[in-house]
Amino acid sequence: MEIGRASEMAEKVAGSISATGTRRRQVETINNPGSSKQRAWTVVLASTKGGCAKTTTALGLIGAAHDEGLIVEAIDTDVSQRTLHEWIGGRDDIRLTVMRPEAAADYVRASQADIILIDTQGSDAPAVGYVLSVADLVVITMSDSKVEIDPAIRLFLRLRERGRRVRIVMSCVDRIDSARVDRARSRVNSAARLWTTIPRRVAVKDAAASHCLLSELAEARPVHNRFVDLLKEILEIRDKTRRQEA
């Protein structure tokens, strides 16, 4: 079953996510002034296959949110691989939970975090639809390979047709092939914002092996700064959405 179809089914099961969570502290530089209560903003990392840098992007965004002073919670729903848990599980300063996709909705409702980041299984398994149903924003990850670009764009278009907020992040291992990036951007078209990150795989692996965030390794700081920029765009989308819903 396609992820888009699974998401549609899951939306009927999970219903509308409208519960609010209480903030534990105010972050003046990011949160809206006067907002004493806001539910957690949920970002789901998704793709139709493995190896597309979903967990790398989750790690980068967790570190960026942590450094910005946000209360961040991470959920690893890839219970077979548990890669995110292997990378940063056990840290006292980051709340990370491993759970099946079907349990994500209840967890999100009860969260008191500022932002929730959910790493998913790289597949079109129906269970992934449960996670997509609770997303405020879906971030689709891909490399500059045609093998990953085509399914990523198909997923983007399906989710957009269903009214989902979607962004695509491109992850290049060593260097940017500008021609490939331009082709991908033209295919996604102006309706999507294509962010290009360049995680040096060695730096990311070093951070993961040490249970470190990217900001905690000097050689990974340039990569970390890219994720800070990505987080800022995510928060801009969040704040704009909240203003429209107010």
Side-chain angles (χ1 to χ4, degrees):
M1 184 182 293
E2 293 181 345
I3 285 183
R5 197 176 304 163
S7 177
E8 190 174 39
M9 290 175 57
E11 287 171 2
K12 295 178 181 178
V13 175
S16 174
I17 306 302
S18 60
T20 60
T22 304
R23 290 184 182 276
R24 289 195 292 262
R25 68 173 182 266
Q26 191 79 3
V27 185
E28 295 180 355
T29 58
I30 294 177
N31 296 337
N32 291 329
S35 297
S36 59
K37 289 187 178 181
Q38 293 280 8
R39 67 177 178 83
W41 184 260
T42 303
V43 179
V44 173
L45 287 303
S47 70
T48 57
K49 63 182 291 297
C52 295
K54 286 188 309 301
T55 305
T56 295
T57 304
L59 178 67
L61 288 173
I62 289 168
H66 183 268
D67 280 11
E68 290 290 338
L70 291 171
I71 302 170
V72 57
E73 293 185 0
I75 304 176
D76 189 347
T77 62
D78 189 351
V79 295
S80 59
Q81 297 290 333
R82 298 165 60 98
T83 305
L84 188 59
H85 181 267
E86 288 182 5
W87 284 5
I88 57 171
R91 289 180 60 118
D92 294 332
D93 56 344
I94 295 174
R95 183 170 183 178
L96 171 61
T97 306
V98 179
M99 67 178 65
R100 293 189 174 279
E102 297 87 341
D106 288 338
Y107 188 94
V108 167
R109 289 189 187 98
S111 175
Q112 295 184 19
D114 293 311
I115 187 168
I116 300 173
L117 294 163
I118 305 181
D119 193 17
T120 62
Q121 181 182 2
S123 75
D124 58 357
V128 176
Y130 285 97
V131 183
L132 294 176
S133 73
V134 304
D136 291 301
L137 176 69
V138 179
V139 174
I140 300 172
T141 61
M142 67 180 186
S143 75
D144 58 356
S145 166
K146 187 176 185 299
V147 175
E148 295 182 15
I149 290 174
D150 289 345
I153 291 176
R154 286 195 296 269
L155 175 58
F156 166 80
L157 293 174
R158 288 200 300 269
L159 291 175
R160 190 181 64 174
E161 286 173 0
R162 288 165 173 78
R164 289 289 174 188
R165 301 180 196 92
V166 192
R167 290 294 184 272
I168 291 182
V169 173
M170 179 175 288
S171 172
C172 304
V173 178
D174 296 316
R175 63 181 181 84
I176 288 182
D177 184 326
S178 58
R180 279 183 171 180
V181 171
D182 289 343
R183 284 195 296 270
R185 183 173 284 111
S186 65
R187 290 202 57 198
V188 174
N189 72 46
S190 59
R193 180 71 177 273
L194 177 59
W195 278 85
T196 304
T197 61
I198 318 171
R200 296 179 182 176
R201 204 55 69 85
V202 173
V204 172
K205 292 297 185 184
D206 285 348
S210 305
H211 284 245
C212 291
L213 300 175
L214 298 181
S215 59
E216 296 168 342
L217 289 182
E219 61 269 31
R221 287 295 303 187
V223 182
H224 169 72
N225 293 336
R226 293 296 185 103
F227 286 115
V228 170
D229 290 340
L230 177 58
L231 176 68
K232 288 179 180 177
E233 193 225 4
I234 290 172
L235 295 177
E236 288 172 2
I237 295 170
R238 180 199 66 177
D239 293 343
K240 180 179 179 181
T241 301
R242 286 177 173 172
R243 287 193 298 269
Q244 292 173 343
E245 293 175 347

